[in-house]
Amino acid sequence: MPITALCYFNGFQPKNVMSRLNLSIAAQASGSGARAAEFTTQHGKVLTPVFMPVGTQATVKCQNVGTLRDSGSTVLLANTYHLMLRPGAEVFRAFGGIHRFMNWDKPVLTDSGGYQIFSLPHACKMNEKGALFQSYVDGRWFLLSPETSIQMQKDIGSDIMMVLDQCIPSTANRVAAEAAMDLTHRWARRSLDARGDAPAALFGIVQGAAFPDLREKSAAYITSLPFDGFAVGGLAVGETKEQREDLTEAATALLPRDRPRYLMGVGTPVDVIEAVHRGVDMFDCIIPTSLAQRGTAYTSIGRLHMRRGLYRLQDVPLDPDCQCPTCRHYSRAYIHHLIKVEEVLGWHLLGQHNLYFYHRMMREIRANVVSGQFIDYYKEKRESWAHVDGDDPDAIHPRPRPARRMLLGDYEVLTAPQGFSSVRQCSSGEVMHSVSDPAEESRLLYIEQSRLDARLRISGAPELVIWDVGLGAATNAMAAVRCFEESLLTHTSGALRSLRIVSFERDLDPLRLAIRHSARFPHLHHAAPSAMLRNAHWEHASGLLQWDLLEGDFLEKMNLAARPDLIFYDPFSFKTDGPLWTTETFLKLFRAMADGETSLYTYSTSTAIRAALLWAGFYVARGVPIPPKTETTVACTRPECLHVAGYPPLPLLDRHWLDRWERSGAKVPAGVTPDEQADFENRIRKHPQFS
Ligand SMILES: [Zn+2]
């Protein structure tokens, strides 16, 4: 009988089972749950509270291991899911594990892959056995089960492994939360069996969403199993800060004192100190390096956004109180410059500084627990760090602004004199649907022009698939949803064709921001957009309309979606989102579509972009005007796509356009080299649409 089953059925308490980590508590703060402890892994000792940088792809983004060591990193987190796909288990086996592979000799904690799997709803089939998912890299199918997850974590050579759990948003309903919890419990036992007597530690995960009684039940069950540590899972995915703190407090109170406690995916400095106060020992978060990529630094005086012109001439270090190599050797002006011109050194320098900041913060927290002053320190810091978490301290005396700005992340709401509102990306200055009322633009450019309602009425036709590239504030997708609902109301004879909308988006802040100010965005007065944010999926009550969200890079995710009939191509412009407008991208799209009839609608009328579409193989037509623009662009795999019964087809670009293109100063898109130019031009001239 496996050890887990023995322990469970004989009612052993984990306290009776030796932990592989041998946690010893050096100090316990009075008046607080905070504690200073240490534990030992196969690759050395770890002092807690500890912050673990995230090394998703066996590297902490843009940092080498020297910086990690020098800044004080003692444990790295690596992502089983990503490493399973690339480089794959056989590489880790060949190298004897991740430590030698990435030249890191200290402890590594691996997650189970569950979190990533459950954030890819489209490609995942789940049952008792595990989750079957399709690789976004090469389309291969993988089974992630408790057994395969542990095997992969063993191959990686992890020091601390995590059990596979079913992650659901903390805002999930009770039935879903309870089902996920029960499955997580069964998987926890299978994970322990799979670990067997391997030397690596294994952590159990307490689930139960936002239901205190479920959390209690989950903690009671999971801590009855002989895990070496315990994680609080399913937080930091949708709940408010206050809810998270309450749930954390309730969860840690139920965990044994003699095992490390890990709060997964948290957080900002204030989140960290709040959780330490509630008894948490271990943290991981992508914030230090991901904010660095966006040009943001955590400093002792607050968060600095280095993109701002304010820093252009500042010959002072990023943070006067920091001794990191970035602050010792470089000025704010230089970092500002690197960020502006998007040099990776800027990302590296800010990431390096942010890692020093986080590790210094953790050492300070620990020192205060040890010296018995934590509670005073906590009270002081949670006030002063509110601004560390908050916005730019150099904006304490901002120029007067006409009105309160409606901001979230890199986005703000703009309201035009005509009364409609749009979302603007602050860093690029680009406004989504900049030329007219967004809802009106969506209707004309995507819905009416594609004759969506007529297509939905082709009875007996297979499911119609729309790709919504650039979800933004969901203006285009909601225009399609409304069109479907109107068709459903007015269509009486026979069944309406079913519709699937697949939205692609890298950053959900524009939608979050617009929902926060939904009074200004009438298209959001509907249940679907919030459901998308929560579940990445929404289904119409008729069962005839499915809407899915694929979060991430479009070019990586497109293989996961069914071939579309219509593409609403609405990313930011070439200037801001260049990769989505290249010949390579259009060729990839065309190849994926070539065996069917697909039409792509876009606002761009750029000569070079139209040429790139032609070069890739599309037929290209003039789209309808969206005042003040006199036309837009439609591309399709075959000219037949432009014919919808009862409507005149859109006019293909003709020889007049070709003549103008020949004379154009911008006839070739960026990325085509001088060597390739002649071939490129010939391919345009020989395109069948001009013969
Ligand atoms: Zn620094």
Side-chain angles (χ1 to χ4, degrees):
M1 193 176 225
I3 179 167
T4 53
L6 260 177
C7 291
Y8 182 63
F9 288 119
N10 295 346
F12 287 5
Q13 287 303 301
K15 294 163 199 69
N16 301 334
V17 180
M18 274 295 284
S19 158
R20 284 163 166 80
L21 295 176
N22 273 322
L23 181 94
S24 68
I25 296 173
Q28 169 76 55
S30 66
S32 164
R35 55 204 211 146
E38 75 175 62
F39 61 78
T40 311
T41 73
Q42 297 173 89
H43 285 87
K45 200 180 275 185
V46 177
L47 300 181
T48 71
V50 63
F51 178 81
M52 306 181 286
V54 178
T56 300
Q57 306 279 13
T59 172
V60 174
K61 287 197 187 304
C62 221
Q63 304 300 329
N64 59 38
V65 290
T67 299
L68 298 175
R69 261 192 299 267
D70 295 345
S71 65
S73 304
T74 51
V75 191
L76 294 188
L77 182 138
N79 287 115
T80 297
Y81 166 81
H82 292 286
L83 297 177
M84 189 175 205
L85 302 183
R86 272 185 309 205
E90 61 280 15
V91 173
F92 289 106
R93 284 197 295 269
F95 275 77
I98 193 171
H99 294 88
R100 192 172 145 244
F101 185 53
M102 69 174 285
N103 184 34
W104 171 253
D105 58 3
K106 290 177 190 250
V108 169
L109 179 148
T110 43
D111 65 4
S112 65
Y115 182 79
Q116 282 80 15
I117 291 292
F118 297 113
S119 55
L120 285 177
H122 208 75
C124 177
K125 291 173 190 162
M126 209 201 64
N127 57 29
E128 185 69 31
K129 199 168 170 206
L132 193 63
F133 70 97
Q134 195 172 14
S135 160
Y136 67 85
V137 178
D138 54 12
R140 272 189 303 159
W141 285 91
F142 285 82
L143 173 71
L144 193 75
S145 66
E147 292 77 19
T148 61
S149 172
I150 295 292
Q151 185 54 51
M152 183 65 206
Q153 296 183 68
K154 284 181 180 173
D155 289 337
I156 292 172
S158 172
D159 297 275
I160 302 174
M161 309 191 289
M162 302 298 298
V163 299
L164 185 66
D165 63 331
Q166 189 192 358
C167 290
I168 53 165
S170 51
T171 49
N173 69 41
R174 190 181 173 91
V175 175
E178 192 157 15
M181 180 192 79
D182 288 337
L183 183 67
T184 295
H185 291 174
R186 294 191 294 275
W187 284 1
R189 292 179 54 190
R190 281 167 53 190
S191 299
L192 269 168
D193 290 343
R195 193 264 305 259
D197 39 16
L202 178 62
F203 277 28
I205 302 179
V206 175
Q207 284 287 2
F211 301 96
D213 60 319
L214 293 186
R215 290 248 163 215
E216 217 167 288
K217 196 172 155 195
S218 185
Y221 180 81
I222 295 291
T223 59
S224 76
L225 301 177
F227 287 112
D228 305 295
F230 297 95
V232 181
L235 293 185
V237 276
E239 73 286 346
T240 65
K241 189 171 177 309
E242 288 71 28
Q243 272 176 320
R244 177 159 75 239
E245 285 162 9
D246 292 347
L247 290 168
T248 306
E249 183 158 354
T252 50
L254 299 165
L255 297 178
R257 276 190 85 245
D258 64 346
R259 305 287 143 111
R261 302 153 174 177
Y262 167 26
L263 185 57
M264 299 163 80
V266 171
T268 66
V270 168
D271 291 338
V272 167
I273 197 164
E274 291 288 2
V276 167
H277 176 56
R278 289 164 174 80
V280 176
D281 307 306
M282 301 166 71
F283 303 89
D284 76 280
C285 193
I286 56 168
I287 279 182
T289 44
S290 69
L291 281 191
Q293 188 180 12
R294 282 152 55 178
T296 301
Y298 276 101
T299 73
S300 57
I301 50 164
R303 245 164 69 161
L304 305 186
H305 303 297
M306 297 311 293
R307 216 169 254 291
R308 300 183 59 213
L310 170 74
Y311 303 114
R312 201 166 72 91
L313 289 166
Q314 290 194 3
D315 188 8
V316 291
L318 206 51
D319 184 347
D321 285 352
C322 180
Q323 285 302 310
C324 84
T326 302
C327 293
R328 274 188 286 128
H329 302 307
Y330 300 97
S331 63
R332 288 180 174 182
Y334 181 59
I335 295 168
H336 164 75
H337 161 72
L338 294 176
I339 295 296
K340 286 297 276 188
V341 298
E342 293 178 357
E343 279 294 333
V344 287
L345 181 60
W347 179 7
H348 166 74
L349 292 176
L350 285 181
Q352 172 170 261
H353 164 83
N354 285 346
L355 285 169
Y356 271 81
F357 178 90
Y358 261 77
H359 290 313
R360 193 172 57 235
M361 166 178 88
M362 300 314 291
R363 284 193 300 271
E364 224 176 87
I365 288 175
R366 188 173 202 279
N368 276 280
V369 174
V370 170
S371 68
Q373 290 158 333
F374 177 79
I375 192 69
D376 294 334
Y377 174 82
Y378 160 74
K379 284 177 185 159
E380 179 208 325
K381 289 298 176 185
R382 106 181 144 150
E383 298 302 318
S384 67
W385 283 357
H387 81 248
V388 173
D389 277 9
D391 227 340
D392 212 320
D394 286 339
I396 286 167
H397 305 291
R399 278 163 293 181
R401 287 190 179 121
R404 222 162 18 113
R405 289 173 77 187
M406 292 169 278
L407 284 164
L408 179 66
D410 192 18
Y411 300 89
E412 72 174 322
V413 174
L414 293 186
T415 300
Q418 299 92 314
F420 61 80
S421 295
S422 315
V423 175
R424 171 178 172 272
Q425 188 183 40
C426 305
S427 55
S428 67
E430 259 191 70
V431 181
M432 299 177 175
H433 304 272
S434 56
V435 293
S436 56
D437 179 346
E440 183 62 6
E441 184 179 325
S442 293
R443 195 178 61 78
L444 291 172
L445 171 52
Y446 300 110
I447 307 303
E448 290 206 342
Q449 180 161 242
S450 69
R451 314 291 181 207
L452 178 59
D453 61 344
R455 288 177 195 266
L456 287 172
R457 285 159 199 251
I458 305 174
S459 66
E463 180 179 68
L464 182 84
V465 178
I466 298 175
W467 283 10
D468 170 41
V469 181
L471 171 69
T475 316
N476 302 334
M478 280 310 298
V481 169
R482 298 281 187 194
C483 172
F484 169 86
E485 289 178 334
E486 276 160 29
S487 305
L488 195 63
L489 281 178
T490 56
H491 189 57
T492 44
S493 59
L496 205 63
R497 194 173 169 188
S498 58
L499 172 64
R500 179 175 295 275
I501 305 169
V502 184
S503 292
F504 297 84
E505 184 58 78
R506 224 176 348 217
D507 189 347
L508 296 175
D509 278 353
L511 180 56
R512 285 192 194 102
L513 175 66
I515 287 179
R516 203 175 276 181
H517 302 283
S518 61
R520 291 164 189 272
F521 296 95
H523 73 278
L524 296 174
H525 298 173
H526 193 284
S530 313
M532 281 315 276
L533 278 186
R534 266 197 318 273
N535 310 323
H537 177 79
W538 177 77
E539 183 179 342
H540 188 269
S542 66
L544 290 173
L545 165 59
Q546 310 284 331
W547 182 13
D548 295 312
L549 168 66
L550 289 180
E551 196 179 346
D553 190 72
F554 169 61
L555 296 173
E556 280 181 12
K557 299 282 168 156
M558 59 177 267
N559 297 332
L560 299 177
R563 194 188 64 74
D565 302 283
L566 307 174
I567 303 178
F568 299 167
Y569 204 70
D570 195 15
F572 279 123
S573 72
F574 176 77
K575 196 172 133 258
T576 306
D577 207 348
L580 291 189
W581 299 99
T582 61
T583 48
E584 248 172 76
T585 293
F586 291 139
L587 185 62
K588 188 175 170 192
L589 262 176
F590 183 79
R591 286 191 174 147
M593 311 298 149
D595 60 354
E597 292 192 1
T598 298
S599 310
L600 177 153
Y601 302 83
T602 188
Y603 60 86
S604 174
T605 52
S606 141
T607 302
I609 285 170
R610 285 176 164 182
L613 285 161
L614 287 164
W615 176 88
F618 286 100
Y619 289 79
V620 179
R622 288 175 210 286
V624 295
I626 307 291
K629 279 191 171 190
T630 55
E631 57 185 63
T632 51
T633 297
V634 181
C636 47
T637 50
R638 292 172 201 167
E640 292 80 347
C641 308
L642 298 172
H643 296 265
V644 175
Y647 294 94
L650 293 162
L652 286 172
L653 300 181
D654 54 13
R655 296 216 60 100
H656 295 294
W657 180 86
L658 193 63
D659 291 342
R660 279 217 313 282
W661 171 77
E662 293 282 10
R663 295 192 301 270
S664 166
K667 64 205 292 196
V668 174
V672 174
T673 64
D675 289 344
E676 296 165 333
Q677 182 159 349
D679 282 344
F680 181 93
E681 290 182 8
N682 279 330
R683 196 150 146 185
I684 303 294
R685 290 179 195 117
K686 287 192 195 135
H687 193 290
Q689 95 171 58
F690 300 119
S691 62

